[in-house]
């Protein structure tokens, strides 16, 4: 009987627990909200420059605003004074931008703020504006009907399938820094748009431009765009990407990389870590060639595979060399070594990061050409 009464009490309480019907609801009229989709942070005179872009208003135009405060919280509070709406709504933020100068000083305060903020989710993608400020990217890109939010959404969708770069969330970056003291962040840059504004003036847009490298909480360098596909290969999260190699006659051949499998194995000499073996397996197809390439000819496939293997080895070595030269283990190789042998890893003299620049990393690449998409190849 007591159990039945308890069930009845729970059922009676349900209407009061359901979202907007709750008597404790933080319900706010949508017309009184400025729904923010993108925010940007810059360091300015020891304080914080905060910029935002909203969804389109009733006139079909996004609202862009910026202000400065003594701290992140202060800047975000101050900007409320500039809003014509009663409240600024941050839970729908889709993109966070950080200016280059701010990142060179430190990103740790920003990450800590993002992760503990009750208004910002921890899975929001983070970008560093290479060579410029977040203020410029948020306020000056796009048009009266299309702002930074739509531009970044389109760019993010393109990157998801192109292999040009990867977009990491604030939580991804925080975890990587906690594991190895280093992380990668998608770098973007402001550039002239191919589109013209309604008054035929030149518009600005943003495009992905490789990766920003974070070490000890600060921006310390970049991975250039041409090396970006190698990051996908090393992390085993590669999208469909194109690479151009030389064919048997010296003609340029564009290959589409369809599949990648990578493995990173620590190499020990007794209890001493001496290096890593990196093995990458690729599957590709011919996208474009200057002349017919019949893949039924084993020699044609052998030449293309050798050219592809050499090119990928060059790209991967470029990323690994950058990592070791900067002493920034953004690929979390230390984690691979620790998982392989926790006891040996714990006994490493001087710690992993001291050994890292001196470790020997051997890269082995194998590939196959599955088919051709060029109908002229027959």
């Amino acid at each position: 009987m007591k159990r039945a009464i308890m069930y009845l009490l729970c059922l009676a309480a349900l209407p009061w627990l359901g979202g907007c019907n709750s008597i404790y609801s933080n319900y706010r009229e949508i017309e009184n909200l400025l729904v923010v989709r993108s925010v940007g942070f810059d360091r300015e005179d020891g304080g914080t420059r905060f910029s935002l872009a909203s969804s389109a208003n009733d006139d079909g135009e996004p609202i862009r605003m910026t202000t400065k405060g003594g701290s992140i919280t202060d800047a975000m509070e101050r900007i409320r004074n500039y809003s014509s709406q009663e409240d600024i709504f941050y839970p729908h933020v889709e993109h966070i931008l950080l200016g280059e100068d701010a990142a060179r000083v430190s990103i740790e305060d920003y990450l800590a703020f993002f992760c503990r903020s009750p208004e910002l989710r921890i899975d929001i993608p983070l970008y560093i504006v290479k060579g410029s400020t977040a203020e410029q990217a948020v306020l000056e890109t796009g048009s009266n009907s299309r702002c930074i939010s739509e531009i970044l959404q389109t760019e993010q969708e393109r990157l998801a399938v192109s292999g040009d770069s990867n977009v990491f969330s604030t939580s991804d970056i925080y975890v990587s820094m906690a594991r190895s003291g280093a992380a990668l962040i998608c770098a973007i840059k402001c550039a002239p748009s191919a589109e013209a504004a309604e008054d035929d003036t030149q518009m600005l847009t943003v495009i992905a431009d490789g990766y920003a490298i974070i070490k000890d909480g600060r921006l310390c360098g970049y991975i250039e765009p041409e090396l970006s596909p190698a990051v996908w290969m090393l992390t085993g999260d590669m999208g469909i990407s194109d690479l151009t190699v030389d064919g048997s006659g010296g003609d340029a051949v564009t290959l589409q990389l369809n599949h990648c499998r990578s493995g990173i194995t620590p190499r020990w000499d007794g209890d001493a870590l001496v290096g890593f073996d990196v093995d990458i397996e690729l599957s590709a197809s011919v996208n474009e060639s200057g002349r017919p390439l019949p893949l039924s000819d084993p020699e044609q496939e052998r030449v293309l595979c050798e050219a592809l293997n050499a090119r990928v080895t060059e790209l991967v070595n470029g990323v690994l060399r950058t990592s070791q030269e900067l002493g920034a283990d953004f690929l979390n190789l230390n984690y691979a070594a620790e998982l392989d042998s926790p006891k040996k890893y714990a006994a490493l003299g001087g710690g992993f990061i001291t050994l890292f620049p001196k470790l020997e990393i051997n890269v082995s690449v194998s590939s196959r050409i599955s088919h051709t998409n060029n109908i002229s190849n027959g």
Side-chain angles (χ1 to χ4, degrees):
M1 183 68 180
K2 290 182 179 180
R3 182 175 296 179
I5 293 174
M6 181 62 69
Y7 282 145
L8 290 173
L9 288 173
C10 289
L11 289 171
L14 283 177
W16 303 102
L17 299 176
C20 295
N21 291 325
S22 172
I23 59 175
Y24 302 107
S25 171
N26 191 23
Y27 175 76
R28 287 171 284 184
E29 294 289 346
I30 188 66
E31 60 265 24
N32 294 330
L33 297 180
L34 179 67
V35 180
V36 180
R37 296 185 59 196
S38 297
V39 294
F41 298 87
D42 293 294
R43 186 176 178 84
E44 187 175 305
D45 300 329
T48 297
R49 166 68 61 179
F50 176 60
S51 308
L52 64 79
S54 75
S55 299
N57 59 18
D58 293 338
D59 298 325
E61 296 183 9
I63 295 174
R64 303 171 174 94
M65 295 190 294
T66 185
T67 190
K68 193 185 86 169
S71 65
I72 300 173
T73 302
D74 183 39
M76 293 182 71
E77 285 298 323
R78 282 173 178 263
I79 210 165
R80 296 182 189 276
N81 298 329
Y82 295 91
S83 173
S84 58
Q85 275 81 357
E86 292 184 4
D87 199 4
I88 296 180
F89 192 68
Y90 292 109
H92 284 186
V93 169
E94 298 169 350
H95 313 284
I96 300 176
L97 292 76
L98 195 59
E100 183 178 80
D101 287 347
R104 289 199 182 278
V105 174
S106 175
I107 72 165
E108 291 183 325
D109 290 344
Y110 297 100
L111 280 180
F113 179 84
F114 301 152
C115 290
R116 69 171 182 261
S117 171
E119 296 185 293
L120 297 173
R121 306 185 318 275
I122 63 172
D123 63 343
I124 302 174
L126 178 62
Y127 306 84
I128 285 181
V129 186
K130 187 175 180 180
S132 188
T133 63
E135 179 186 14
Q136 182 188 29
V138 173
L139 268 60
E140 299 180 20
T141 58
S143 61
N144 291 335
S145 59
R146 188 169 185 263
C147 70
I148 183 67
S149 305
E150 288 82 11
I151 295 172
L152 280 178
Q153 184 62 39
T154 301
E155 188 71 353
Q156 188 176 338
E157 292 170 0
R158 183 187 71 81
L159 294 176
V161 296
S162 70
D164 290 345
S165 191
N166 198 1
V167 180
F168 300 102
S169 69
T170 55
S171 58
D172 293 332
I173 297 159
Y174 193 88
V175 168
S176 181
M177 289 175 59
R179 281 181 175 175
S180 65
L184 293 178
I185 300 178
C186 181
I188 57 176
K189 69 176 181 181
C190 297
S193 172
E195 276 184 81
E198 294 177 1
D199 58 358
D200 292 330
T201 58
Q202 180 71 66
M203 288 198 310
L204 274 182
T205 188
V206 293
I207 57 175
D209 197 45
Y211 294 95
I213 302 171
I214 305 299
K215 176 189 175 185
D216 298 330
R218 295 179 176 88
L219 172 65
C220 66
Y222 290 97
I223 291 178
E224 296 304 321
E226 57 268 20
L227 294 179
S228 294
V231 174
W232 286 66
M233 297 173 194
L234 287 165
T235 57
D237 192 25
M238 190 191 76
I240 297 175
S241 181
D242 291 339
L243 281 181
T244 300
V245 301
D246 292 332
S248 57
D251 298 324
V253 178
T254 301
L255 299 175
Q256 184 181 81
L257 308 184
N258 304 312
H259 177 73
C260 175
R261 184 171 64 181
S262 63
I264 299 176
T265 307
R267 196 166 62 254
W268 304 88
D269 183 4
D271 291 336
L273 180 65
V274 295
F276 290 88
D277 293 322
V278 177
D279 297 300
I280 295 176
E281 297 179 10
L282 294 166
S283 173
S285 58
V286 177
N287 238 11
E288 185 178 359
S289 58
R291 59 190 183 86
L293 293 174
L295 295 182
S296 55
D297 181 358
E299 180 63 16
Q300 293 282 1
E301 183 176 5
R302 183 190 66 79
V303 170
L304 287 178
C305 286
E306 286 183 355
L308 176 58
N309 296 347
R311 178 61 178 147
V312 170
T313 300
E314 179 186 9
L315 295 176
V316 170
N317 277 328
V319 170
L320 293 170
R321 183 167 55 252
T322 300
S323 180
Q324 288 188 287
E325 288 175 352
L326 293 174
D329 180 25
F330 49 75
L331 294 170
N332 296 319
L333 298 183
N334 69 323
Y335 191 58
E338 185 177 15
L339 288 177
D340 185 69
S341 181
K343 185 176 180 180
K344 291 180 181 179
Y345 181 85
L348 289 177
F352 176 85
I353 201 62
T354 304
L355 300 172
F356 179 55
K358 304 173 185 177
L359 296 177
E360 181 184 35
I361 303 180
N362 297 323
V363 177
S364 174
V365 180
S366 60
S367 62
R368 68 183 185 91
I369 308 297
S370 59
H371 64 283
T372 177
N373 298 320
N374 190 342
I375 61 174
S376 65
N377 290 333

